[in-house]
Amino acid sequence: STSTMPTMRTFSLATTVILASVAGSAAFVPSQPSHFSPVAASEASPTAIFEYIPSGFTKESWKKFQAKEEKKKKAQNLGRLGPKGFQSRSFQSFQEALERGEAGHLLPVMNAKERVARGELKVEDIPYMQRGGAWDNSDVKGAKNKGWLKSDKEYASGGYKKEQSVSVFGYGDGLDWTGEKAKKGPRPGEISISVPKFSKNYKPPNVKDLRGDTTEKPKKKGPFGLW
């Protein structure tokens, strides 16, 4: 009927106004982060840090292995000059021991490990450079150590630094390429240089004077020998 039409339109309009007001008020309410939002996930679970342990190692055995390797590196002293796989003596000491019959030239041994395993050789019979040991056999347990000469002790107590000089001259600090090294030499005025004085008509010697040849060569004559 015509009486109910305005009532229905009024109800629909009121409903629309109420829904619009609810939606507008919800727009001003701060939204709460959901459980699966990236912000909430990053705050709830911090970054996990895992320790690397190679296969076949436990945490304790891996730490022991790392400590053993670090100790081995320090013993090798990789920053020094000269050979790093074995402990050698100076050439002067070797020459002295060679002349006294206490040392000889060492040659490589073929199949050394196999021959040691068969009992044909002792470990100290392998040249120290080949086995990566010391020249006096101090690296072989139970072996007879070779005696040290005076030059060996001087070399081991710091003389090796002189032998390992990086100078182009063999010894010393080398050339002062940067100009920052301490200057050495006589101070100004310590050396006096006297310059000889020459007369006004002084003539420097020539090759003939230096040879001691005092004979004069005959002068060449002109055309037809007239003058």
mmCIF file of all heavy atoms in Angstrom, residues 65-107:
data_model
loop_
_atom_site.group_PDB
_atom_site.id
_atom_site.type_symbol
_atom_site.label_atom_id
_atom_site.label_comp_id
_atom_site.label_asym_id
_atom_site.label_seq_id
_atom_site.Cartn_x
_atom_site.Cartn_y
_atom_site.Cartn_z
ATOM 1 N N PHE A 65 90.410 -30.070 17.917
ATOM 2 C CA PHE A 65 91.126 -30.070 16.638
ATOM 3 C C PHE A 65 91.554 -28.661 16.250
ATOM 4 O O PHE A 65 92.685 -28.455 15.778
ATOM 5 C CB PHE A 65 90.221 -30.667 15.565
ATOM 6 C CG PHE A 65 90.832 -30.671 14.190
ATOM 7 C CD1 PHE A 65 91.755 -31.641 13.829
ATOM 8 C CD2 PHE A 65 90.499 -29.687 13.261
ATOM 9 C CE1 PHE A 65 92.326 -31.644 12.568
ATOM 10 C CE2 PHE A 65 91.061 -29.682 12.007
ATOM 11 C CZ PHE A 65 91.978 -30.664 11.650
ATOM 12 N N GLN A 66 90.690 -27.666 16.446
ATOM 13 C CA GLN A 66 91.035 -26.283 16.126
ATOM 14 C C GLN A 66 92.188 -25.778 16.997
ATOM 15 O O GLN A 66 93.088 -25.088 16.510
ATOM 16 C CB GLN A 66 89.813 -25.380 16.306
ATOM 17 C CG GLN A 66 88.763 -25.553 15.228
ATOM 18 C CD GLN A 66 87.555 -24.671 15.455
ATOM 19 O OE1 GLN A 66 86.978 -24.664 16.531
ATOM 20 N NE2 GLN A 66 87.180 -23.925 14.434
ATOM 21 N N ALA A 67 92.176 -26.131 18.289
ATOM 22 C CA ALA A 67 93.258 -25.719 19.183
ATOM 23 C C ALA A 67 94.580 -26.365 18.786
ATOM 24 O O ALA A 67 95.642 -25.728 18.838
ATOM 25 C CB ALA A 67 92.900 -26.077 20.625
ATOM 26 N N LYS A 68 94.529 -27.611 18.343
ATOM 27 C CA LYS A 68 95.738 -28.314 17.914
ATOM 28 C C LYS A 68 96.316 -27.689 16.653
ATOM 29 O O LYS A 68 97.537 -27.503 16.535
ATOM 30 C CB LYS A 68 95.403 -29.783 17.674
ATOM 31 C CG LYS A 68 96.602 -30.644 17.301
ATOM 32 C CD LYS A 68 96.187 -32.092 17.101
ATOM 33 C CE LYS A 68 97.375 -32.956 16.709
ATOM 34 N NZ LYS A 68 96.972 -34.381 16.491
ATOM 35 N N GLU A 69 95.454 -27.331 15.695
ATOM 36 C CA GLU A 69 95.920 -26.703 14.462
ATOM 37 C C GLU A 69 96.507 -25.323 14.722
ATOM 38 O O GLU A 69 97.500 -24.931 14.103
ATOM 39 C CB GLU A 69 94.759 -26.598 13.466
ATOM 40 C CG GLU A 69 94.321 -27.927 12.892
ATOM 41 C CD GLU A 69 95.413 -28.577 12.054
ATOM 42 O OE1 GLU A 69 95.970 -27.894 11.189
ATOM 43 O OE2 GLU A 69 95.719 -29.764 12.286
ATOM 44 N N GLU A 70 95.915 -24.573 15.628
ATOM 45 C CA GLU A 70 96.434 -23.241 15.958
ATOM 46 C C GLU A 70 97.800 -23.340 16.608
ATOM 47 O O GLU A 70 98.702 -22.533 16.328
ATOM 48 C CB GLU A 70 95.453 -22.542 16.908
ATOM 49 C CG GLU A 70 95.791 -21.093 17.204
ATOM 50 C CD GLU A 70 95.665 -20.199 15.992
ATOM 51 O OE1 GLU A 70 94.912 -20.554 15.072
ATOM 52 O OE2 GLU A 70 96.338 -19.139 15.975
ATOM 53 N N LYS A 71 97.991 -24.330 17.466
ATOM 54 C CA LYS A 71 99.288 -24.544 18.102
ATOM 55 C C LYS A 71 100.339 -24.933 17.066
ATOM 56 O O LYS A 71 101.498 -24.496 17.132
ATOM 57 C CB LYS A 71 99.166 -25.629 19.169
ATOM 58 C CG LYS A 71 100.429 -25.863 19.972
ATOM 59 C CD LYS A 71 100.206 -26.922 21.042
ATOM 60 C CE LYS A 71 101.471 -27.157 21.853
ATOM 61 N NZ LYS A 71 101.263 -28.210 22.887
ATOM 62 N N LYS A 72 99.945 -25.723 16.078
ATOM 63 C CA LYS A 72 100.875 -26.143 15.029
ATOM 64 C C LYS A 72 101.308 -24.952 14.176
ATOM 65 O O LYS A 72 102.471 -24.828 13.794
ATOM 66 C CB LYS A 72 100.215 -27.204 14.151
ATOM 67 C CG LYS A 72 101.138 -27.832 13.128
ATOM 68 C CD LYS A 72 100.383 -28.761 12.190
ATOM 69 C CE LYS A 72 99.758 -29.917 12.938
ATOM 70 N NZ LYS A 72 99.095 -30.862 11.993
ATOM 71 N N LYS A 73 100.387 -24.037 13.880
ATOM 72 C CA LYS A 73 100.714 -22.860 13.088
ATOM 73 C C LYS A 73 101.700 -21.958 13.818
ATOM 74 O O LYS A 73 102.624 -21.398 13.227
ATOM 75 C CB LYS A 73 99.437 -22.078 12.750
ATOM 76 C CG LYS A 73 98.557 -22.756 11.727
ATOM 77 C CD LYS A 73 97.332 -21.914 11.427
ATOM 78 C CE LYS A 73 96.430 -22.589 10.413
ATOM 79 N NZ LYS A 73 95.206 -21.771 10.139
ATOM 80 N N LYS A 74 101.489 -21.778 15.119
ATOM 81 C CA LYS A 74 102.406 -20.936 15.895
ATOM 82 C C LYS A 74 103.802 -21.553 15.940
ATOM 83 O O LYS A 74 104.800 -20.841 15.917
ATOM 84 C CB LYS A 74 101.859 -20.741 17.309
ATOM 85 C CG LYS A 74 100.616 -19.871 17.375
ATOM 86 C CD LYS A 74 100.150 -19.692 18.802
ATOM 87 C CE LYS A 74 98.923 -18.796 18.879
ATOM 88 N NZ LYS A 74 98.440 -18.628 20.280
ATOM 89 N N ALA A 75 103.873 -22.866 16.013
ATOM 90 C CA ALA A 75 105.179 -23.532 16.059
ATOM 91 C C ALA A 75 105.910 -23.410 14.729
ATOM 92 O O ALA A 75 107.139 -23.328 14.691
ATOM 93 C CB ALA A 75 104.999 -25.002 16.427
ATOM 94 N N GLN A 76 105.172 -23.363 13.626
ATOM 95 C CA GLN A 76 105.806 -23.251 12.311
ATOM 96 C C GLN A 76 106.351 -21.860 12.060
ATOM 97 O O GLN A 76 107.267 -21.692 11.257
ATOM 98 C CB GLN A 76 104.800 -23.621 11.223
ATOM 99 C CG GLN A 76 104.458 -25.089 11.193
ATOM 100 C CD GLN A 76 103.419 -25.412 10.137
ATOM 101 O OE1 GLN A 76 102.823 -24.515 9.546
ATOM 102 N NE2 GLN A 76 103.187 -26.682 9.896
ATOM 103 N N ASN A 77 105.795 -20.848 12.713
ATOM 104 C CA ASN A 77 106.259 -19.462 12.525
ATOM 105 C C ASN A 77 106.292 -19.108 11.041
ATOM 106 O O ASN A 77 107.333 -18.855 10.447
ATOM 107 C CB ASN A 77 107.645 -19.280 13.151
ATOM 108 C CG ASN A 77 108.053 -17.809 13.215
ATOM 109 O OD1 ASN A 77 107.226 -16.905 13.010
ATOM 110 N ND2 ASN A 77 109.316 -17.555 13.494
ATOM 111 N N LEU A 78 105.122 -19.083 10.429
ATOM 112 C CA LEU A 78 105.015 -18.930 8.983
ATOM 113 C C LEU A 78 105.476 -17.564 8.483
ATOM 114 O O LEU A 78 105.690 -17.378 7.296
ATOM 115 C CB LEU A 78 103.560 -19.157 8.548
ATOM 116 C CG LEU A 78 103.013 -20.562 8.839
ATOM 117 C CD1 LEU A 78 101.552 -20.642 8.457
ATOM 118 C CD2 LEU A 78 103.809 -21.620 8.109
ATOM 119 N N GLY A 79 105.623 -16.591 9.373
ATOM 120 C CA GLY A 79 106.027 -15.259 8.944
ATOM 121 C C GLY A 79 107.525 -15.076 8.786
ATOM 122 O O GLY A 79 107.972 -14.038 8.294
ATOM 123 N N ARG A 80 108.327 -16.083 9.169
ATOM 124 C CA ARG A 80 109.768 -15.910 9.092
ATOM 125 C C ARG A 80 110.271 -16.158 7.672
ATOM 126 O O ARG A 80 109.551 -16.726 6.836
ATOM 127 C CB ARG A 80 110.473 -16.875 10.049
ATOM 128 C CG ARG A 80 110.484 -18.322 9.563
ATOM 129 C CD ARG A 80 111.209 -19.229 10.537
ATOM 130 N NE ARG A 80 111.437 -20.542 9.989
ATOM 131 C CZ ARG A 80 110.573 -21.544 10.026
ATOM 132 N NH1 ARG A 80 109.401 -21.375 10.594
ATOM 133 N NH2 ARG A 80 110.865 -22.724 9.514
ATOM 134 N N LEU A 81 111.505 -15.740 7.416
ATOM 135 C CA LEU A 81 112.136 -16.005 6.133
ATOM 136 C C LEU A 81 112.778 -17.384 6.148
ATOM 137 O O LEU A 81 113.026 -17.961 7.192
ATOM 138 C CB LEU A 81 113.186 -14.946 5.828
ATOM 139 C CG LEU A 81 112.683 -13.508 5.701
ATOM 140 C CD1 LEU A 81 113.854 -12.564 5.536
ATOM 141 C CD2 LEU A 81 111.718 -13.359 4.551
ATOM 142 N N GLY A 82 113.102 -17.882 4.960
ATOM 143 C CA GLY A 82 113.790 -19.158 4.874
ATOM 144 C C GLY A 82 112.826 -20.334 4.859
ATOM 145 O O GLY A 82 111.609 -20.181 4.806
ATOM 146 N N PRO A 83 113.360 -21.567 4.921
ATOM 147 C CA PRO A 83 112.511 -22.763 4.858
ATOM 148 C C PRO A 83 111.612 -22.873 6.079
ATOM 149 O O PRO A 83 112.011 -22.545 7.194
ATOM 150 C CB PRO A 83 113.528 -23.915 4.802
ATOM 151 C CG PRO A 83 114.774 -23.358 5.404
ATOM 152 C CD PRO A 83 114.797 -21.916 5.040
ATOM 153 N N LYS A 84 110.390 -23.341 5.878
ATOM 154 C CA LYS A 84 109.413 -23.424 6.958
ATOM 155 C C LYS A 84 109.025 -24.858 7.308
ATOM 156 O O LYS A 84 108.375 -25.103 8.302
ATOM 157 C CB LYS A 84 108.155 -22.629 6.578
ATOM 158 C CG LYS A 84 108.432 -21.168 6.298
ATOM 159 C CD LYS A 84 107.188 -20.456 5.799
ATOM 160 C CE LYS A 84 107.459 -18.976 5.560
ATOM 161 N NZ LYS A 84 108.496 -18.723 4.569
ATOM 162 N N GLY A 85 109.388 -25.829 6.448
ATOM 163 C CA GLY A 85 108.988 -27.202 6.705
ATOM 164 C C GLY A 85 109.964 -27.988 7.545
ATOM 165 O O GLY A 85 109.671 -29.111 7.942
ATOM 166 N N PHE A 86 111.129 -27.429 7.836
ATOM 167 C CA PHE A 86 112.131 -28.136 8.638
ATOM 168 C C PHE A 86 113.033 -27.104 9.306
ATOM 169 O O PHE A 86 113.043 -25.932 8.950
ATOM 170 C CB PHE A 86 112.974 -29.086 7.778
ATOM 171 C CG PHE A 86 113.562 -28.429 6.556
ATOM 172 C CD1 PHE A 86 114.786 -27.776 6.622
ATOM 173 C CD2 PHE A 86 112.897 -28.447 5.347
ATOM 174 C CE1 PHE A 86 115.336 -27.163 5.508
ATOM 175 C CE2 PHE A 86 113.434 -27.844 4.220
ATOM 176 C CZ PHE A 86 114.653 -27.198 4.305
ATOM 177 N N GLN A 87 113.797 -27.574 10.304
ATOM 178 C CA GLN A 87 114.712 -26.702 11.054
ATOM 179 C C GLN A 87 116.139 -26.992 10.592
ATOM 180 O O GLN A 87 116.671 -28.069 10.848
ATOM 181 C CB GLN A 87 114.568 -26.940 12.558
ATOM 182 C CG GLN A 87 115.456 -26.029 13.386
ATOM 183 C CD GLN A 87 115.353 -26.330 14.870
ATOM 184 O OE1 GLN A 87 114.551 -27.141 15.287
ATOM 185 N NE2 GLN A 87 116.174 -25.671 15.667
ATOM 186 N N SER A 88 116.742 -26.037 9.920
ATOM 187 C CA SER A 88 118.074 -26.230 9.369
ATOM 188 C C SER A 88 119.116 -25.484 10.201
ATOM 189 O O SER A 88 118.787 -24.682 11.069
ATOM 190 C CB SER A 88 118.100 -25.755 7.912
ATOM 191 O OG SER A 88 119.350 -26.030 7.334
ATOM 192 N N ARG A 89 120.379 -25.750 9.904
ATOM 193 C CA ARG A 89 121.483 -25.029 10.527
ATOM 194 C C ARG A 89 122.096 -24.106 9.480
ATOM 195 O O ARG A 89 121.758 -24.163 8.297
ATOM 196 C CB ARG A 89 122.528 -26.019 11.062
ATOM 197 C CG ARG A 89 123.268 -26.752 9.976
ATOM 198 C CD ARG A 89 124.004 -27.997 10.446
ATOM 199 N NE ARG A 89 124.878 -27.795 11.577
ATOM 200 C CZ ARG A 89 125.740 -28.711 12.031
ATOM 201 N NH1 ARG A 89 125.837 -29.881 11.413
ATOM 202 N NH2 ARG A 89 126.488 -28.471 13.082
ATOM 203 N N SER A 90 123.008 -23.254 9.927
ATOM 204 C CA SER A 90 123.636 -22.327 8.986
ATOM 205 C C SER A 90 124.634 -23.069 8.094
ATOM 206 O O SER A 90 125.130 -24.145 8.442
ATOM 207 C CB SER A 90 124.355 -21.212 9.747
ATOM 208 O OG SER A 90 125.458 -21.739 10.474
ATOM 209 N N PHE A 91 124.916 -22.490 6.951
ATOM 210 C CA PHE A 91 125.869 -23.113 6.036
ATOM 211 C C PHE A 91 127.271 -23.128 6.646
ATOM 212 O O PHE A 91 128.043 -24.055 6.411
ATOM 213 C CB PHE A 91 125.882 -22.358 4.704
ATOM 214 C CG PHE A 91 126.785 -22.971 3.682
ATOM 215 C CD1 PHE A 91 126.395 -24.107 2.974
ATOM 216 C CD2 PHE A 91 128.036 -22.442 3.423
ATOM 217 C CE1 PHE A 91 127.233 -24.686 2.035
ATOM 218 C CE2 PHE A 91 128.882 -23.016 2.485
ATOM 219 C CZ PHE A 91 128.477 -24.147 1.782
ATOM 220 N N GLN A 92 127.582 -22.103 7.442
ATOM 221 C CA GLN A 92 128.893 -22.069 8.097
ATOM 222 C C GLN A 92 129.043 -23.244 9.056
ATOM 223 O O GLN A 92 130.085 -23.914 9.080
ATOM 224 C CB GLN A 92 129.057 -20.747 8.856
ATOM 225 C CG GLN A 92 130.374 -20.648 9.621
ATOM 226 C CD GLN A 92 130.480 -19.365 10.434
ATOM 227 O OE1 GLN A 92 129.661 -18.458 10.269
ATOM 228 N NE2 GLN A 92 131.481 -19.287 11.292
ATOM 229 N N SER A 93 127.981 -23.512 9.838
ATOM 230 C CA SER A 93 128.039 -24.634 10.777
ATOM 231 C C SER A 93 128.146 -25.963 10.045
ATOM 232 O O SER A 93 128.883 -26.866 10.460
ATOM 233 C CB SER A 93 126.804 -24.627 11.677
ATOM 234 O OG SER A 93 126.723 -23.422 12.409
ATOM 235 N N PHE A 94 127.412 -26.095 8.950
ATOM 236 C CA PHE A 94 127.483 -27.333 8.175
ATOM 237 C C PHE A 94 128.884 -27.535 7.603
ATOM 238 O O PHE A 94 129.421 -28.651 7.617
ATOM 239 C CB PHE A 94 126.453 -27.299 7.049
ATOM 240 C CG PHE A 94 126.617 -28.409 6.052
ATOM 241 C CD1 PHE A 94 126.242 -29.703 6.366
ATOM 242 C CD2 PHE A 94 127.171 -28.164 4.801
ATOM 243 C CE1 PHE A 94 126.403 -30.729 5.448
ATOM 244 C CE2 PHE A 94 127.330 -29.179 3.879
ATOM 245 C CZ PHE A 94 126.946 -30.472 4.208
ATOM 246 N N GLN A 95 129.505 -26.462 7.117
ATOM 247 C CA GLN A 95 130.846 -26.575 6.554
ATOM 248 C C GLN A 95 131.862 -26.956 7.618
ATOM 249 O O GLN A 95 132.750 -27.792 7.387
ATOM 250 C CB GLN A 95 131.244 -25.255 5.881
ATOM 251 C CG GLN A 95 132.519 -25.315 5.070
ATOM 252 C CD GLN A 95 132.400 -26.211 3.857
ATOM 253 O OE1 GLN A 95 131.304 -26.365 3.304
ATOM 254 N NE2 GLN A 95 133.502 -26.810 3.442
ATOM 255 N N GLU A 96 131.728 -26.367 8.803
ATOM 256 C CA GLU A 96 132.636 -26.708 9.903
ATOM 257 C C GLU A 96 132.475 -28.178 10.299
ATOM 258 O O GLU A 96 133.471 -28.883 10.512
ATOM 259 C CB GLU A 96 132.366 -25.805 11.101
ATOM 260 C CG GLU A 96 132.739 -24.342 10.871
ATOM 261 C CD GLU A 96 132.382 -23.477 12.056
ATOM 262 O OE1 GLU A 96 131.858 -24.030 13.071
ATOM 263 O OE2 GLU A 96 132.595 -22.242 11.996
ATOM 264 N N ALA A 97 131.221 -28.643 10.416
ATOM 265 C CA ALA A 97 130.983 -30.045 10.780
ATOM 266 C C ALA A 97 131.435 -30.987 9.678
ATOM 267 O O ALA A 97 131.924 -32.098 9.947
ATOM 268 C CB ALA A 97 129.495 -30.251 11.070
ATOM 269 N N LEU A 98 131.335 -30.546 8.419
ATOM 270 C CA LEU A 98 131.782 -31.368 7.303
ATOM 271 C C LEU A 98 133.290 -31.547 7.334
ATOM 272 O O LEU A 98 133.815 -32.659 7.112
ATOM 273 C CB LEU A 98 131.340 -30.726 5.987
ATOM 274 C CG LEU A 98 131.615 -31.514 4.700
ATOM 275 C CD1 LEU A 98 130.792 -32.801 4.674
ATOM 276 C CD2 LEU A 98 131.295 -30.662 3.474
ATOM 277 N N GLU A 99 134.027 -30.481 7.622
ATOM 278 C CA GLU A 99 135.490 -30.560 7.696
ATOM 279 C C GLU A 99 135.959 -31.381 8.883
ATOM 280 O O GLU A 99 137.038 -31.975 8.844
ATOM 281 C CB GLU A 99 136.064 -29.151 7.776
ATOM 282 C CG GLU A 99 135.844 -28.329 6.500
ATOM 283 C CD GLU A 99 136.289 -26.896 6.652
ATOM 284 O OE1 GLU A 99 136.697 -26.516 7.788
ATOM 285 O OE2 GLU A 99 136.240 -26.132 5.664
ATOM 286 N N ARG A 100 135.159 -31.440 9.936
ATOM 287 C CA ARG A 100 135.517 -32.233 11.116
ATOM 288 C C ARG A 100 135.035 -33.678 10.996
ATOM 289 O O ARG A 100 135.252 -34.486 11.895
ATOM 290 C CB ARG A 100 134.902 -31.595 12.361
ATOM 291 C CG ARG A 100 135.444 -30.216 12.652
ATOM 292 C CD ARG A 100 134.672 -29.503 13.754
ATOM 293 N NE ARG A 100 134.645 -30.244 14.999
ATOM 294 C CZ ARG A 100 134.226 -29.735 16.168
ATOM 295 N NH1 ARG A 100 133.808 -28.471 16.219
ATOM 296 N NH2 ARG A 100 134.220 -30.458 17.249
ATOM 297 N N GLY A 101 134.374 -34.017 9.919
ATOM 298 C CA GLY A 101 133.884 -35.379 9.723
ATOM 299 C C GLY A 101 132.633 -35.699 10.513
ATOM 300 O O GLY A 101 132.294 -36.879 10.688
ATOM 301 N N GLU A 102 131.903 -34.682 10.981
ATOM 302 C CA GLU A 102 130.707 -34.889 11.785
ATOM 303 C C GLU A 102 129.425 -34.745 10.976
ATOM 304 O O GLU A 102 128.324 -34.938 11.511
ATOM 305 C CB GLU A 102 130.685 -33.897 12.954
ATOM 306 C CG GLU A 102 131.878 -34.030 13.886
ATOM 307 C CD GLU A 102 131.897 -32.958 14.956
ATOM 308 O OE1 GLU A 102 131.001 -32.077 14.913
ATOM 309 O OE2 GLU A 102 132.790 -32.989 15.820
ATOM 310 N N ALA A 103 129.532 -34.397 9.710
ATOM 311 C CA ALA A 103 128.356 -34.217 8.864
ATOM 312 C C ALA A 103 128.698 -34.644 7.448
ATOM 313 O O ALA A 103 129.872 -34.779 7.084
ATOM 314 C CB ALA A 103 127.884 -32.758 8.889
ATOM 315 N N GLY A 104 127.679 -34.901 6.660
ATOM 316 C CA GLY A 104 127.871 -35.291 5.273
ATOM 317 C C GLY A 104 126.716 -34.788 4.430
ATOM 318 O O GLY A 104 125.705 -34.297 4.948
ATOM 319 N N HIS A 105 126.869 -34.885 3.140
ATOM 320 C CA HIS A 105 125.810 -34.455 2.236
ATOM 321 C C HIS A 105 124.657 -35.449 2.293
ATOM 322 O O HIS A 105 124.862 -36.672 2.238
ATOM 323 C CB HIS A 105 126.351 -34.339 0.812
ATOM 324 C CG HIS A 105 127.399 -33.273 0.658
ATOM 325 N ND1 HIS A 105 127.100 -31.932 0.622
ATOM 326 C CD2 HIS A 105 128.761 -33.360 0.562
ATOM 327 C CE1 HIS A 105 128.208 -31.224 0.478
ATOM 328 N NE2 HIS A 105 129.241 -32.066 0.447
ATOM 329 N N LEU A 106 123.434 -34.927 2.382
ATOM 330 C CA LEU A 106 122.243 -35.756 2.512
ATOM 331 C C LEU A 106 121.554 -35.911 1.161
ATOM 332 O O LEU A 106 121.418 -34.942 0.416
ATOM 333 C CB LEU A 106 121.269 -35.127 3.518
ATOM 334 C CG LEU A 106 121.839 -34.876 4.921
ATOM 335 C CD1 LEU A 106 120.810 -34.200 5.800
ATOM 336 C CD2 LEU A 106 122.306 -36.186 5.556
ATOM 337 N N LEU A 107 121.153 -37.129 0.876
ATOM 338 C CA LEU A 107 120.451 -37.435 -0.368
ATOM 339 C C LEU A 107 119.059 -37.971 -0.031
ATOM 340 O O LEU A 107 118.873 -38.638 1.006
ATOM 341 C CB LEU A 107 121.219 -38.472 -1.192
ATOM 342 C CG LEU A 107 122.624 -38.054 -1.642
ATOM 343 C CD1 LEU A 107 123.306 -39.210 -2.348
ATOM 344 C CD2 LEU A 107 122.576 -36.826 -2.539
#
